[in-house]
Amino acid sequence: KMAEVLGREFTIKDSVGTLICEGITSKGFEVSNEGIDITSDDSSGWQTFMSQPGQKSISMSIEGVFTDSTLKTQALSATDIKLESVQVYDGTTTLTGDFVITAYSNSGDMADAVRFSATLQSSGEIA
């Protein structure tokens, strides 16, 4: 049985080991494995895939209270949207690799703090 993990123990850190930005309140990642369809007449009508994926990727979502413009500044950059050697720890597993900022947004309601959200996509192999 796996021990419970607090959400605040789920961290996303940069190459020097500090949090990727301040104010994060929610984060997650999704592993995508592109299946290679090998369905044939021999499959009796059932879709069949190779056991090895054609393409692998990891997508991360980050949300929080806007207290740090680092991620926004990099997302607005015309030449450097890549974050190198990012470490993602979900309480049980550490993933390390390069990611690019594929989406960033700020929002705010009249009687609430300004919030941000960002999407990061893996670029290259993840260890």
Side-chain angles (χ1 to χ4, degrees):
K1 180 180 174 186
M2 189 180 90
E4 296 83 9
V5 179
L6 285 169
R8 66 178 168 259
E9 294 174 352
F10 185 144
T11 58
I12 303 171
K13 296 183 177 184
D14 63 20
S15 60
V16 294
T18 57
L19 291 176
I20 200 164
C21 70
E22 295 177 4
I24 296 173
T25 59
S26 177
K27 57 268 176 199
F29 70 86
E30 178 179 297
V31 178
S32 295
N33 292 310
E34 182 181 289
I36 298 174
D37 190 338
I38 57 170
T39 307
S40 68
D41 290 346
D42 301 323
S43 304
S44 301
W46 288 97
Q47 186 174 32
T48 307
F49 290 94
M50 289 181 68
S51 59
Q52 183 177 13
Q55 181 172 303
K56 296 180 71 66
S57 65
I58 294 179
S59 179
M60 281 195 293
S61 60
I62 304 169
E63 296 179 357
V65 178
F66 183 66
T67 61
D68 179 352
S69 63
T70 305
L71 207 55
K72 179 177 86 170
T73 300
Q74 195 158 3
L76 290 168
S77 171
T79 59
D80 186 21
I81 60 169
K82 184 183 262 188
L83 303 168
E84 296 181 347
S85 298
V86 173
Q87 292 182 344
V88 181
Y89 176 69
D90 69 357
T92 61
T93 305
T94 300
L95 305 172
T96 303
D98 296 344
F99 288 81
V100 294
I101 305 167
T102 58
Y104 181 91
S105 68
N106 277 104
S107 62
D109 292 328
M110 180 188 72
D112 200 2
V114 172
R115 303 194 60 80
F116 76 93
S117 65
T119 304
L120 308 178
Q121 185 67 44
S122 61
S123 176
E125 185 175 353
I126 300 296

